[in-house]
């Protein structure tokens, strides 16, 4: 094929891709069908599997009746039916948020005798993770075992990742142990699963096992280990990990997630000054525009907020705005909460209003919770009641009514407290925390009969309050 002919094909493919994108956005099915007919006549669709994928995606988004049968019909026209062609199609489906189509493509491969390789298996297992289709994933696991692909560390890692992301930690561990030649990727997949399941001790054991297996610690491993240390209050081990990454990772300032995890690890252990030092270190090598990343900023704001330094949170938030950083939702939660603890009611309301007016962010449940808490701490219970009562249902949750009930307990408002408890229990009838606060409110007014009724009801329903616990590190 001559260079000019190749260039002509590339230009045509680019035009077709752009045309399909425009037709999809307008949801106009007729031009998509006309282009499809043209591609069949000119054989252009056979030059690029990606173009075939875009054609399928365009049909699916423009046609509300597009389903498995339509998809199968389009697959039948794919020539050649090779592993490479379908691998590209499956990967494109995953990349474009159509994981269900990726599973259908794999099923078509399997039922029509298209050779299946490790690339197809890994991409399809990733699609299973995206749509949380555990049943399909288990069927694939059985297929992998029968076809002998379980010895592949890449396929094994994908299965571990599938089970870990769906909370099936026992299955993930079993597959991990069966992989003959493990690597850092499969260990990280299991480590992420332990983190999501809050199995911190098991995560720590896996980190030690990685060292025995001579597996290298990458950025993800170190971030996960720091998170584990923070949740176990294992500050001594956290310092060792910090020292290790200072020796072994040369580009720490470029990894904002690693910096953020470091800051949070020291912050959760009450070592605010250490967290501040890491934050300052992050500023030594800022981005090209001279700004720290928003992730690092929200981490340091959370550290000061968690450790009761609320005025410092407000100061740092102002400094962040002066540096030209656009705050995210997490930053607003922290700073509005800080305003509540410092009595800065007007400032907190101003920050809440600025979310939408200045930064185009729609307030969520957590922001309304902070605003209600702000008003309650200031004794503005009537305003808080009106705000919660007038709120849209998607923003109203138990924590909002719980904050109002807690304020009623502090200010001795029995009527409003009863109403708040009633609303909270309508949303979550098994919430023992609400019953405890309501009982305490009754106790203030000496309503012992009502307390006895509450206890009988809680006992009858078999509810019990979770026992609190704290982690401490014992040093010799």
């Amino acid at each position: 094929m001559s260079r000019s002919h190749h260039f002509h094909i590339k230009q045509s493919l680019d035009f077709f891709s752009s045309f399909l994108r425009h037709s999809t956005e307008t949801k106009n099915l007729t031009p998509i069908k006309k282009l499809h007919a043209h591609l069949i006549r000119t054989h252009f669709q056979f030059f690029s599997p990606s173009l075939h994928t875009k054609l399928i995606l365009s049909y699916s988004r423009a046609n509300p009746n597009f389903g498995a049968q339509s998809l199968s019909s389009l697959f039948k026209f794919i020539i050649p039916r090779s592993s490479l062609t379908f691998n590209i199609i499956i990967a494109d489906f995953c990349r474009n948020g159509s994981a269900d189509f990726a599973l259908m493509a794999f099923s078509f491969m399997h039922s029509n005798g298209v050779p299946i390789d490790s690339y197809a298996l890994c991409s399809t297992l990733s699609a299973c993770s995206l749509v949380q289709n555990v049943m399909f994933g288990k069927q694939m696991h059985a297929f992998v075992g029968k076809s002998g692909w379980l010895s592949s560390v890449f396929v094994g890692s994908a299965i571990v990742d599938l089970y870990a992301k769906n909370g099936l930690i026992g299955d993930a561990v079993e597959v991990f142990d069966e992989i003959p030649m493990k690597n850092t990727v499969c260990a990280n997949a299991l480590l992420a699963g332990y983190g999501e399941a809050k199995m911190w001790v098991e995560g720590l054991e896996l980190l030690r096992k990685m060292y025995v297996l001579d597996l290298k610690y990458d950025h993800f491993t170190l971030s996960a280990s720091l998170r584990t240390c923070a949740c176990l209050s294992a500050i001594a081990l956290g310092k060792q990990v910090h020292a290790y990454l200072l020796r072994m990772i040369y580009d720490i300032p470029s990894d904002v997630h690693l910096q953020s995890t470091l800051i949070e690890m020291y912050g959760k252990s009450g070592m605010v000054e250490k967290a501040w030092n890491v934050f300052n270190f992050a500023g030594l090598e800022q981005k090209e525009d001279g700004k720290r990343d928003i992730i690092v900023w929200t981490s340091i704001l959370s550290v000061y907020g968690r450790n009761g330094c609320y005025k410092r949170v407000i100061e740092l938030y102002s400094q962040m705005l002066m540096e030209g950083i656009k705050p995210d939702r997490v930053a607003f939660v922290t700073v509005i909460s800080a305003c509540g603890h410092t009595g800065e009611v007007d400032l907190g309301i101003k920050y809440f209003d600025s979310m939408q007016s200045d930064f185009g962010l729609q307030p969520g449940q957590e922001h309304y919770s902070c605003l209600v808490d702000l008003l309650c701490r200031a004794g503005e219970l009537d305003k808080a009641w009106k705000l919660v009562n007038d709120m849209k249902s998607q923003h109203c949750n138990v924590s909002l009514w719980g904050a109002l009930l807690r304020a009623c307990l502090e200010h001795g408002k029995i009527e409003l407290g009863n109403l708040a408890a009633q609303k909270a229990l309508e949303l979550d009838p098994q919430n023992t925390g609400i019953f405890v606060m309501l009982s305490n409110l009754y106790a203030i007014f000496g309503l012992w009969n009502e307390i006895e009724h509450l206890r009988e009801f809680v006992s009858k329903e078999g509810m019990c309050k979770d026992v609190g616990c704290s982690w401490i590190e014992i040093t010799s």
Side-chain angles (χ1 to χ4, degrees):
M1 185 185 294
S2 67
R3 183 176 297 178
S4 61
H5 184 56
H6 184 273
F7 178 73
H8 171 69
I9 290 175
K10 187 179 184 306
Q11 274 194 321
S12 300
L13 291 174
D14 289 342
F15 169 75
F16 293 148
S17 298
S18 177
F19 181 86
L20 285 170
R21 185 166 55 251
H22 176 73
S23 300
T24 303
E25 289 171 356
T26 58
K27 297 192 180 298
N28 195 341
L29 193 59
T30 303
I32 296 173
K33 287 182 176 180
K34 289 181 178 178
L35 177 61
H36 190 187
H38 173 76
L39 292 173
I40 292 174
R41 283 198 312 271
T42 58
H43 302 284
F44 253 107
Q45 76 179 72
F46 306 129
F47 282 106
S48 170
S50 290
L51 182 61
H52 207 104
T53 309
K54 289 170 185 172
L55 184 66
I56 293 171
L57 289 172
S58 298
Y59 269 123
S60 67
R61 289 167 184 168
N63 182 7
N65 298 318
F66 188 87
Q69 190 173 354
S70 305
L71 188 64
S72 180
S73 299
L74 288 169
F75 284 152
K76 289 176 182 177
F77 288 98
I78 296 177
I79 300 174
R81 287 189 189 175
S82 64
S83 299
L84 177 61
T85 304
F86 273 92
N87 287 348
I88 294 171
I89 288 174
I90 291 172
D92 280 351
F93 280 147
C94 291
R95 204 162 27 244
N96 287 281
S98 299
D100 285 324
F101 289 165
L103 302 186
M104 292 180 194
F106 181 84
S107 297
F108 184 89
M109 286 179 72
H110 183 247
S111 59
N112 287 271
V114 180
I116 294 172
D117 57 15
S118 61
Y119 192 95
L121 291 168
C122 290
S123 297
T124 310
L125 285 164
S126 297
C128 290
S129 298
L130 289 171
V131 296
Q132 296 186 327
N133 192 334
V134 181
M135 186 58 66
F136 195 99
K138 287 188 173 183
Q139 291 172 3
M140 285 203 63
H141 186 185
F143 173 80
V144 166
K146 290 177 182 178
S147 56
W149 280 108
L150 201 55
S151 59
S152 166
V153 67
F154 304 107
V155 177
S157 298
I159 298 174
V160 171
D161 183 63
L162 166 69
Y163 285 139
K165 284 181 177 175
N166 286 279
L168 302 173
I169 305 300
D171 293 324
V173 172
E174 190 175 332
V175 175
F176 177 80
D177 291 337
E178 289 175 357
I179 299 174
M181 294 294 291
K182 300 173 178 61
N183 63 7
T184 303
V185 175
C186 64
N188 283 346
L190 182 56
L191 196 58
Y194 280 141
E196 287 299 316
K198 294 181 171 49
M199 298 171 68
W200 311 117
V201 175
E202 290 80 358
L204 202 57
E205 290 172 355
L206 177 59
L207 287 166
R208 289 169 176 156
K209 189 175 182 179
M210 286 178 69
Y211 179 78
V212 174
L213 294 171
D214 199 26
L215 300 180
K216 291 183 178 179
Y217 297 152
D218 62 9
H219 287 228
F220 181 89
T221 316
L222 293 168
S223 292
S225 60
L226 287 168
R227 186 185 176 203
T228 300
C229 292
C231 293
L232 288 175
S233 296
I235 189 61
L237 183 58
K239 287 181 177 179
Q240 291 175 28
V241 175
H242 188 182
Y244 174 87
L245 63 90
L246 285 173
R247 290 196 311 272
M248 304 300 293
I249 308 295
Y250 70 92
D251 60 341
I252 298 174
S254 66
D255 190 334
V256 293
H257 294 286
L258 200 54
Q259 294 168 14
S260 171
T261 313
L262 259 176
I263 291 169
E264 289 171 4
M265 188 268 292
Y266 283 121
K268 284 183 177 179
S269 302
M271 305 180 74
V272 179
E273 190 175 343
K274 284 277 189 183
W276 178 249
N277 290 340
V278 176
F279 177 76
N280 282 333
F281 178 70
L284 294 177
E285 189 175 317
Q286 298 169 345
K287 295 190 292 184
E288 292 180 2
D289 56 6
K291 301 175 183 176
R292 294 180 180 90
D293 196 277
I294 181 61
I295 296 174
V296 180
W297 273 105
T298 51
S299 295
I300 195 65
L301 287 172
S302 297
V303 165
Y304 279 105
R306 187 181 295 113
N307 286 277
C309 307
Y310 302 113
K311 289 185 178 179
R312 183 64 174 148
V313 171
I314 298 171
E315 290 172 6
L316 282 173
Y317 179 78
S318 300
Q319 185 181 330
M320 183 180 79
L321 295 181
M322 288 175 62
E323 199 172 290
I325 301 295
K326 179 184 175 182
D328 60 6
R329 296 176 181 278
V330 179
F332 275 109
V333 168
T334 308
V335 74
I336 295 171
S337 177
C339 290
H341 284 86
T342 55
E344 300 277 1
V345 179
D346 293 336
L347 186 60
I349 294 172
K350 177 187 172 184
Y351 287 149
F352 180 86
D353 292 337
S354 72
M355 279 189 70
Q356 200 163 5
S357 59
D358 297 341
F359 302 103
L361 296 173
Q362 194 69 31
Q365 287 183 349
E366 63 277 16
H367 303 100
Y368 281 104
S369 293
C370 289
L371 186 61
V372 169
D373 185 66
L374 174 88
L375 294 170
C376 289
R377 287 179 183 275
E380 303 280 359
L381 300 190
D382 292 331
K383 287 183 180 179
W385 166 262
K386 188 177 185 306
L387 175 67
V388 180
N389 212 31
D390 295 344
M391 203 174 293
K392 294 179 181 178
S393 58
Q394 65 264 30
H395 291 142
C396 199
N397 59 10
V398 176
S399 65
L400 286 170
W401 293 112
L404 186 57
L405 175 58
R406 186 165 50 251
C408 292
L409 176 62
E410 291 172 359
H411 293 85
K413 299 280 187 178
I414 184 70
E415 296 86 0
L416 198 58
N418 265 325
L419 289 171
Q422 182 182 343
K423 293 284 188 180
L425 292 172
E426 284 176 5
L427 295 171
D428 185 5
Q430 300 293 314
N431 193 310
T432 54
I434 299 296
F435 283 107
V436 170
M437 283 194 286
L438 186 59
S439 175
N440 292 339
L441 180 62
Y442 287 157
I444 292 173
F445 290 88
L447 302 174
W448 310 115
N449 290 334
E450 281 75 2
I451 293 175
E452 189 61 32
H453 290 323
L454 280 180
R455 286 177 178 170
E456 288 176 2
F457 179 79
V458 169
S459 178
K460 181 182 176 182
E461 294 294 318
M463 292 184 284
C464 59
K465 188 176 181 296
D466 293 334
V467 180
C469 68
S470 299
W471 288 96
I472 60 169
E473 185 176 29
I474 300 174
T475 56
S476 56

